[in-house]
Amino acid sequence: MTGLGLRYSTRQGEVRALRDVSFDLARGEALGLVGESGCGKTSLAKSLMRLLPDNARPAGGEVLLDGEGLLSLPEEEMRRVRWRRISLVFQAAMNSLDPVYRVGQQVLEAIEAHGVEETVASARARVARLFRLVGLDPRVMERYPHELSGGMRQRVVIAMALSCDPDIVIADEPTTALDVIVQDRILRELKAIQGQLGISIIYITHDMAVVAEVTDRVGVMYAGRLVELGETAAVFRSPLHPYTEALMSSFPSVSGEKRRLASLSGEPPDLADPPSGCAFHPRCAYATALCREQSPPRVGRGGQWAECWHPLDPAAVPVDPA
Amino acid sequence: MAGYLLRRVSQMILTLFLILTVTFVLVQAQPGDYASFYALNPDLPPDVREQMRATFGLDRPVWEQYLIHMRNTVTGNFGVSFGHFPRPVLDVLAERLPRTIVLFVSATAVSFYVGFLLGKAIAWRRGGILEYAATISGTALFTAFTPAFALMMIWIFAFRLGWLPVGKFLDPLVWRDADVSSTSVFSLMLLTAAAFLAFASLVSFASRRSQRIGGRRSAVPLLLAGALVLALAWYLSGIGNLALDILRHMILPVATLTLISFAGTMLLTRNSMLETVREDFVMAARAKGLPDAQVRDRHAARNALLPVVTSLIYSLVFAIDGSVIVESVFSWPGIGLTLLEAVRTEDLPLVMGAIVFIGFLSLLAHLVVDVLYACLDPRIRYR
């Protein structure tokens, strides 16, 4: 995915939800995307699957899946890419299941639409297998969404996402609506399934703990831009961008020393009218006149990079954003 | 479900009891003495007068007459109609009621279907020519004055163009040499429709149980074949032209009723659909890579249907109410026209019978829609 941009036209004018976001995803890799609400995480997920509302307009960039450009595909071919190649675990499991059909039927429907199985019997057997994989009794297939608990629904949604053997699963806040214990169990299972099936997962979340637990690499988003990207361990050990540091210090660490949790003051910027220069400068402790006036360069260290005038590690050197 | 039905039916009986009481009070409250109107009417032969007196207890006090009225209703004894003398009221109603039910059930079904399809289409593709055309014409027709519009339809299609009969249930010229009664032909037609519906539901059930994915055959040829067999049976029976004559007489009233009322369902469906398409599960359906039509019909429209079905109750009641107007404009000899005639000729037994049956019909329609709703929405389980 390179240089992806996205604009929403709204009554308040044009909102630039994504600005020149680029990253790549290897087979079998787990990538985390973190950021505050409204920073463009979900817009990014929808752009990848081309599920945007009518007022959204892609503004440049390209999504390449095995070398094939998705943004220019005809609708009918894109339909076949959805779920078969890229599937989605929705953030609100209750609302993403249709209330009038049995949950098994809703998984079956995807399998039928893509012709993954030949007969209804084999498709049902596949659904039963998937349900067992995510820790559900296959008899749950015959239940309606309102008869299930939040955790069960989330498992159904995960089973649904895996139903057509996708290459990439985008998990958009997969566990936000659940209590911590269920959340943890589901994340572990998802990670195990990922290893078992060799799929790539993009975790979209605002929860740094989730990122630390399940991802290989992490990207930090701010105001529609990717501001830092690197190996999860490296980013956690020594972030380059002040925003990343601020995000991390707002979460408690179990093993680390006792410290006061810092909360980041201020609001994320209005994307209809983003600040000049570095979008983070109004909230940044290190901001200078330079940050207000000019867009920051990309600086890096090893495989990790950030877009900042004053990276937290002075050893970071400017890198070519290619 | 059984317990729910039982409770609903007992509620219905209570409501029916109230309807009967109100009807009785209304008739009693009329100016002039109800009892003496019959008992002293010199137009009636003395033996009939005597029989009436005994049936309705006309020489008894009012409260006793009320009890007799209740007993008569329960035992189905509504007395003898004056206008159709000497036929019993029940006999007249049994002939007229199916005609009303068929006319209004078909009109309601057609207008609901048309309204739902249009509403679905204009909500899915906003801002097209279809949306403007359907909304403007639909609203204009919806607000039209029913009798004037019905007369205009008759004037255009029956009088100027001559495509359809002006009114009435049948054409006497066609029926002059027929040796079957229109009622029995009509009953046969109802039977045919019921048989076809049963066949269609069987076919759709069977096709849903098909085990192959992708290679599912369409049920349409099979349904066409079924329809053809039934049509052939009618053709060979020799009374096919009579059935056709009744059908021809139904077209204009059904079309008029549809045109007048489809906009209600259409606008309701449109609004409901606009709400539903914003739901996450509709986006989930698209994300699953389902074809556009499947997302629209199986998910968006299927959920948008629920609040629209609730409105079906009102349109059914409206249809039954409106039967008086529509039937008299089209001279359709159903229960509405019967009621109007009976009121005009002071045929009180028939008035009472007709009102009781209209009330009963409304209650029944209500129950049917409630049960239908429970079938459509799994979240609703009546207890």
Side-chain angles (χ1 to χ4, degrees), chain A residues 166-204:
Chain A
D167 300 320
I168 303 172
V169 173
I170 304 171
D172 186 2
E173 308 267 7
T175 53
T176 312
L178 304 175
D179 64 72
V180 185
I181 296 176
V182 180
Q183 192 173 4
D184 191 57
R185 199 180 308 146
I186 286 186
L187 281 175
R188 269 170 223 267
E189 283 168 14
L190 205 53
K191 194 172 164 67
I193 291 167
Q194 184 200 6
Q196 216 174 318
L197 304 179
I199 46 181
S200 314
I201 299 194
I202 301 178
Y203 286 94
I204 294 179

Side-chain angles (χ1 to χ4, degrees), chain B residues 221-372:
Chain B
L222 207 56
L223 288 180
L224 276 179
L228 209 67
V229 167
L230 287 173
L232 202 69
W234 272 100
Y235 180 73
L236 294 176
S237 70
I239 51 172
N241 61 326
L242 301 178
L244 218 57
D245 184 52
I246 294 180
L247 275 183
R248 263 167 55 81
H249 282 79
M250 269 181 69
I251 295 174
L252 208 48
V254 169
T256 306
L257 280 167
T258 302
L259 284 173
I260 287 173
S261 58
F262 82 92
T265 309
M266 180 182 80
L267 295 177
L268 211 64
T269 307
R270 173 182 165 278
N271 290 352
S272 170
M273 187 83 172
L274 288 178
E275 296 266 316
T276 317
V277 293
R278 280 204 294 266
E279 297 274 0
D280 286 343
F281 61 79
V282 175
M283 194 178 67
R286 277 219 294 150
K288 278 196 271 181
L290 304 183
D292 195 56
Q294 202 177 337
V295 176
R296 185 192 59 200
D297 296 343
R298 304 252 326 248
H299 294 282
R302 176 66 176 73
N303 278 279
L305 178 66
L306 298 174
V308 184
V309 166
T310 320
S311 81
L312 197 61
I313 296 172
Y314 301 110
S315 59
L316 273 172
V317 172
F318 166 79
I320 296 166
D321 275 356
S323 69
V324 175
I325 297 168
V326 176
E327 286 184 1
S328 45
V329 175
F330 287 100
S331 323
W332 181 266
I335 204 160
L337 189 61
T338 307
L339 178 63
L340 197 67
E341 268 173 15
V343 168
R344 261 202 309 251
T345 57
E346 302 191 60
D347 186 350
L348 281 176
L350 195 54
V351 171
M352 301 258 264
I355 290 177
V356 167
F357 268 81
I358 288 177
F360 181 66
L361 222 58
S362 311
L363 290 177
L364 201 66
H366 212 125
L367 182 69
V368 167
V369 173
D370 271 0
V371 171
L372 188 70

Side-chain angles (χ1 to χ4, degrees), chain A residues 49 51 79 82-83 90 95-96 98-101 105-106 109-110 112-114 118-121 144 146, chain B residues 210-213 216 280-281 283-284 286-291 294 298-299 302-303 306 376 378-379 381:
Chain A
M49 295 193 77
L51 287 173
R79 184 178 79 69
R82 289 188 193 125
W83 229 249
F90 292 91
N95 306 335
S96 58
D98 191 325
V100 303
Y101 296 108
Q105 174 60 36
Q106 298 189 44
E109 190 179 53
E112 291 185 6
H114 293 284
E118 287 284 302
T119 67
V120 174
Y144 288 99
H146 69 276
Chain B
S210 153
Q211 283 296 302
R212 284 199 55 79
I213 291 172
R216 248 171 222 180
D280 286 343
F281 61 79
M283 194 178 67
R286 277 219 294 150
K288 278 196 271 181
L290 304 183
Q294 202 177 337
R298 304 252 326 248
H299 294 282
R302 176 66 176 73
N303 278 279
L306 298 174
L376 286 174
R379 283 165 297 185
R381 284 287 170 263

